[in-house]
Amino acid sequence: MRATELSSAPNLAALYLKAVATTPSRRGGGELPDTEYVRRDITVDREHLAEYNRMCGFGLRDELPMTYPHILSFGTAVRLMTDPGFPFPLVGLVHVANTITQHRPLLVTESPTQRVYLSDLRPHPKGSQFDVVTETSAGSETVWTESSTYLRRGKPDESAAKSERTAAIEAGAPTATWQLPGDLGRRYAAVSGDRNPIHLHPLTAKAFGFPRAIAHGMWSKARCLAAFEGRLPEACTVEVEFAKPVLLPSTVEFTERATGQGDGRGRDFALHSRSGKLHLRGSVR
């Protein structure tokens, strides 16, 4: 794999313009580029971190929320997905799953290194999917890894196995109920840098087939983890699958339950609409 060092975070505004300009030339054929981007000595902006914490419901602490390194690497991931060798148009990709493993919390005073690359292009019942993999280290210690799975909708592939996983938790009495405002997508975009038009405004969302703007999947995951704050082990894996999109504005219900016994204990959790529609299912192990 060809490693390329980046001295600073990529310019997301320029990358989005590039994504729009190159969309017609990306037809979906070919392989993923064999490129790895590396950013060293990343400095955490404390004011930005505080705004992210408020946006997602985390308290202010010296430890980074488990989902915050995703924000640090997002620009690098977008650069990979707008490089000339990337086969798909960035606009229209669907974030369908995310798995984060934390070996220990990162501190706001640390200056981590992140490596980001693409992996495992494979068929999906609704097209093709692949992973964006991020490895975050402090010194020589790998402390955090992430795999974000994206779907490129296309011709159905009969060879792709359909997921047999069912909802982690049936709709029932919620642990918490959250009212999500219509501008949630724009507010989270300002913090995360993820300005996909499906999140920003009803008109731009309708251009991609959604009746209203939809919430970011990574906001939903972060908000769920904030509900666990103070109860998660320092070392754990949190896996989520994004099911039906959360339309904005809306009201969602968070549900959780304990699973397993002894050292294998964990938690399952889910987000549902009040009608019982599943938006997100996840597990902590």
Side-chain angles (χ1 to χ4, degrees):
M1 187 168 289
R2 296 178 292 109
T4 300
E5 299 245 356
L6 302 179
S7 59
S8 61
N11 184 323
L12 277 169
L15 289 177
Y16 281 126
L17 289 174
K18 179 181 178 181
V20 172
T22 59
T23 290
S25 65
R26 299 180 190 265
R27 302 296 183 183
E31 301 295 325
L32 298 174
D34 185 28
T35 303
E36 175 187 77
Y37 283 125
V38 181
R39 281 187 65 208
R40 302 184 186 277
D41 300 324
I42 300 170
T43 300
V44 175
D45 184 321
R46 291 173 182 261
E47 290 186 5
H48 181 267
L49 174 62
E51 182 60 27
Y52 176 85
N53 287 342
R54 286 190 290 268
M55 184 77 238
C56 300
F58 294 106
L60 300 179
R61 306 171 64 187
D62 291 334
E63 298 176 354
L64 301 186
M66 193 172 178
T67 48
Y68 191 74
H70 172 87
I71 302 299
L72 297 178
S73 66
F74 180 72
T76 306
V78 172
R79 175 159 176 179
L80 272 172
M81 291 187 285
T82 53
D83 277 353
F86 185 69
F88 307 116
L90 177 66
V91 178
L93 292 178
V94 181
H95 194 183
V96 294
N98 178 272
T99 299
I100 292 173
T101 296
Q102 178 176 275
H103 301 286
R104 70 159 175 84
L106 274 163
L107 301 177
V108 68
T109 53
E110 293 184 282
S111 299
T113 293
Q114 291 191 312
R115 301 177 180 274
V116 185
Y117 57 93
L118 305 173
S119 176
D120 196 15
L121 178 61
R122 59 200 184 274
H124 183 277
K126 295 182 179 180
S128 302
Q129 62 184 336
F130 64 92
D131 300 324
V132 179
V133 180
T134 303
E135 300 175 357
T136 302
S137 59
S140 60
E141 176 189 14
T142 299
V143 297
W144 185 96
T145 60
E146 176 189 47
S147 178
S148 285
T149 302
Y150 289 88
L151 166 67
R152 168 59 178 173
R153 294 186 184 274
K155 183 179 179 180
D157 192 320
E158 299 300 330
S159 68
K162 294 184 178 180
S163 173
E164 297 181 355
R165 183 174 178 181
T166 57
I169 301 177
E170 296 297 328
T175 307
T177 300
W178 302 321
Q179 294 184 349
L180 312 185
D183 66 347
L184 175 65
R186 293 191 293 277
R187 290 168 52 209
Y188 183 77
V191 173
S192 68
D194 184 353
R195 290 181 170 82
N196 188 319
I198 62 177
H199 303 301
L200 303 182
H201 192 275
L203 291 179
T204 55
K206 285 179 181 178
F208 293 92
F210 297 97
R212 303 197 300 274
I214 65 173
H216 293 73
M218 288 306 294
W219 177 88
S220 298
K221 180 171 184 175
R223 186 64 188 88
C224 290
L225 290 187
F228 286 113
E229 194 163 36
R231 297 187 290 137
L232 292 179
E234 290 193 346
C236 63
T237 295
V238 180
E239 178 182 5
V240 301
E241 294 178 6
F242 304 114
K244 298 291 185 181
V246 179
L247 299 176
L248 300 172
S250 66
T251 300
V252 294
E253 297 179 338
F254 172 76
T255 311
E256 61 168 296
R257 70 178 178 196
T259 61
Q261 296 180 349
D263 292 340
R265 293 190 65 186
R267 302 202 75 81
D268 285 345
F269 59 96
L271 276 184
H272 291 90
S273 67
R274 283 186 164 176
S275 66
K277 181 187 299 182
L278 176 68
H279 294 298
L280 174 153
R281 55 175 165 247
S283 64
V284 181
R285 299 288 183 268

